[in-house]
Amino acid sequence: MKISKSLFLAFAGLGLFACSNEDVTTENGIPSGKGAVTVQLINPGVSTRTVQDPTTGDNTVSITGDITVSLYEKTNLTAASQVIRIPAASLETTTVLKFWNVTEPGKITVSINNGQSSYESVELSSLQDILPANIPAYGETTKFILTDETGSPIIANDNDAESGGNKQEQGANEGDQNKVYQLYNAKVTMAIPVARLEVSGITHKSHPQQEGGKDVCEYKTLTIKGVYMDNLYTKGGAYQENKTQVGEDGFYMSVFANGTELADYCWKKKVADDDLYLGTGEDAILKDEITTGDAVGENFLASGVVWPKPVLEGDPETSKAKVFAYNVYPASNVAEDDNNLPKFKIYFDSSESQDETKPLPAPRYAMITKYWNSDHTAEIKAFEPGKIYRITSAELKDGNIIGDEGGNTLYGVEVTVKEAVWTPVNITADWAE
């Protein structure tokens, strides 16, 4: 299932309707009293501790799982009066879910993969083993507009029925099919609480441009130990309904608020003055340690090697590409002088210089300093929730590999990023140098 790309992030839009009905009729012939709510869903499209399979394509990445649509009466907004659960894969853009015998609709919530209204107390580390297709999403509304539209239930379609029907209705009783319901109209937009960064294609660059065209490398040996994320929001934000209206259908781009509790992380926290590890901050909560076991090992200077290495599957000649992948809480709408984007860093645990007079002691680091759009014309200032940011090529020169984990020498690498809704976004990056 795919979401409309014009919505720019992965969500489900829902057109909702409710009505009045009882045995007593009004002057226009429509029963009054209890009513119904009709929910039109657009399936959310959004589309990690070990390297992951990369997301593919430039369009949306679909979420799988059961969608839970809950109706709350206005007199009790804490306990749902009716619930419909339906697999996301069974929904089309024209699918309509219906709640009957509603007294007064007060709120609709929609959730997939246990999506919730707030991530303010949810630790970022708890969201790392979730793949794009299983990411949580959530939406809600308390806004209902009475219309002149009417409808009647189909009993065989009740969501609780063991057989028959399409399972897309709830709350009707035998005999209600003979009643007419006036409808309320409302709309819900689902949102995803995180953005996703995927990095692949990391290689060491040869140096034909150095010393009159000679291929000269500053390093005699250089061993890659792993990658990790720094500058992270450890807690998420709350769902915010209807921030920006998009599209002719009038749906709104609802979002989760910015993350909170920005924190610094390093490969391993320094605990003594003579400690080998020179990082600042706490031990990284998002990291991938590299252990290969093949002939090349973790030799970053090996010719033709790309990190993360492809994984062999089945036939020895068959390999499958992998990515370093992390779900991160976003920092949207940051000021120009803010630096709230997550920082992807590479950790090298051993090194030896070609020139004994110019030592290059371990540990060494490489880190992204800026992210750019795919054609490198616009810098990315914020990672937006519901988007996948892909770095598919990162060629590191010797000058990008530095001895200061904090980047205080102002060396960095700028990479180009391609967005993927969750929305995919291919990007590039600037690396420290």
Side-chain angles (χ1 to χ4, degrees):
M1 306 296 299
K2 300 230 175 161
I3 194 170
S4 171
K5 193 174 182 182
S6 66
L7 298 178
F8 300 113
L9 58 80
F11 63 80
L14 307 104
L16 306 149
F17 310 88
C19 82
S20 296
N21 176 294
E22 241 184 24
D23 291 338
V24 179
T25 61
T26 62
E27 293 183 359
N28 62 3
I30 298 176
S32 62
K34 290 187 177 180
V37 176
T38 301
V39 183
Q40 182 180 359
L41 294 128
I42 298 176
N43 185 33
V46 288
S47 76
T48 176
R49 275 323 6 99
T50 64
V51 289
Q52 303 290 317
D53 293 335
T55 56
T56 59
D58 294 335
N59 296 317
T60 61
V61 179
S62 295
I63 299 177
T64 61
D66 288 345
I67 291 179
T68 300
V69 184
S70 303
L71 171 71
Y72 296 77
E73 295 280 2
K74 195 170 185 178
T75 54
N76 187 353
L77 296 177
T78 59
S81 61
Q82 297 186 44
V83 176
I84 291 178
R85 294 182 178 87
I86 188 168
S90 70
L91 298 178
E92 303 290 344
T93 56
T94 57
T95 298
V96 174
L97 306 182
K98 301 174 182 179
F99 295 98
W100 305 100
N101 291 313
V102 179
T103 301
E104 186 176 9
K107 180 173 70 172
I108 288 283
T109 66
V110 186
S111 173
I112 188 170
N113 297 322
N114 298 312
Q116 58 194 63
S117 62
S118 174
Y119 286 79
E120 293 168 303
S121 61
V122 178
E123 294 286 349
L124 178 60
S125 56
S126 69
L127 299 175
Q128 295 313 304
D129 291 330
I130 304 176
L131 298 175
N134 307 120
I135 206 70
Y138 176 87
E140 69 175 52
T141 190
T142 58
K143 302 171 184 176
F144 299 86
I145 301 174
L146 184 63
T147 75
D148 58 2
E149 299 177 48
T150 60
S152 300
I154 299 175
I155 301 300
N157 289 343
D158 191 276
N159 194 248
D160 291 332
E162 294 184 2
S163 62
N166 59 21
K167 312 298 185 185
Q168 295 172 6
E169 301 189 20
Q170 181 69 281
N173 301 308
E174 187 63 41
D176 289 341
Q177 66 269 31
N178 300 318
K179 301 176 182 179
V180 179
Y181 293 77
Q182 187 174 357
L183 307 177
Y184 287 90
N185 177 281
K187 294 181 179 180
V188 174
T189 303
M190 293 185 75
I192 296 169
V194 295
R196 181 177 173 89
L197 178 65
E198 295 182 353
V199 183
S200 61
I202 301 172
T203 60
H204 179 253
K205 181 179 175 61
S206 59
H207 306 272
Q209 78 283 7
Q210 294 180 203
E211 296 190 6
K214 296 179 181 179
D215 187 0
V216 178
C217 181
E218 295 178 2
Y219 289 91
K220 184 176 182 180
T221 63
L222 185 64
T223 302
I224 185 171
K225 182 65 174 178
V227 301
Y228 65 103
M229 298 296 294
D230 188 10
N231 208 54
L232 296 172
Y233 285 97
T234 61
K235 302 290 181 63
Y239 176 81
Q240 297 179 330
E241 182 188 1
N242 295 359
K243 287 299 182 183
T244 305
Q245 189 171 6
V246 294
E248 295 180 357
D249 58 8
F251 285 105
Y252 287 81
M253 185 188 295
S254 297
V255 298
F256 276 89
N258 297 347
T260 59
E261 300 186 18
L262 186 65
D264 292 329
Y265 294 97
C266 61
W267 179 259
K268 185 175 182 180
K269 184 178 180 180
K270 183 175 182 178
V271 296
D273 290 340
D274 59 351
D275 201 321
L276 172 65
Y277 304 99
L278 306 179
T280 59
E282 298 298 316
D283 288 351
I285 58 174
L286 306 187
K287 65 190 294 185
D288 284 302
E289 188 166 354
I290 295 174
T291 54
T292 58
D294 57 23
V296 172
E298 292 77 51
N299 178 13
F300 192 69
L301 306 180
S303 177
V305 177
V306 177
W307 309 87
K309 292 182 179 179
V311 174
L312 297 178
E313 294 188 353
D315 189 316
E317 300 300 320
T318 302
S319 62
K320 188 173 183 180
K322 293 292 182 179
V323 297
F324 299 118
Y326 305 97
N327 298 324
V328 297
Y329 285 130
S332 301
N333 303 319
V334 297
E336 287 294 320
D337 57 348
D338 284 344
N339 187 17
N340 293 339
L341 283 174
K343 297 177 181 178
F344 178 84
K345 297 184 176 183
I346 304 173
Y347 175 74
F348 303 91
D349 66 339
S350 68
S351 61
E352 185 179 359
S353 175
Q354 292 277 16
D355 186 346
E356 295 181 356
T357 66
K358 298 178 180 179
L360 298 169
R364 312 296 291 178
Y365 303 87
M367 63 197 72
I368 292 174
T369 55
K370 290 183 180 180
Y371 299 89
W372 296 86
N373 63 352
S374 57
D375 57 7
H376 211 80
T377 57
E379 184 180 349
I380 296 172
K381 295 289 188 178
F383 281 180
E384 299 177 31
K387 287 189 176 181
I388 299 171
Y389 295 87
R390 298 173 179 154
I391 298 172
T392 58
S393 178
E395 194 174 44
L396 301 185
K397 300 178 294 184
D398 289 346
N400 300 135
I401 301 166
I402 61 178
D404 183 1
E405 188 272 345
N408 295 322
T409 53
L410 301 181
Y411 294 127
V413 178
E414 297 185 353
V415 300
T416 299
V417 179
K418 184 178 180 182
E419 287 185 339
V421 169
W422 325 306
T423 301
V425 183
N426 289 339
I427 63 176
T428 64
D430 289 349
W431 293 76
E433 62 178 344

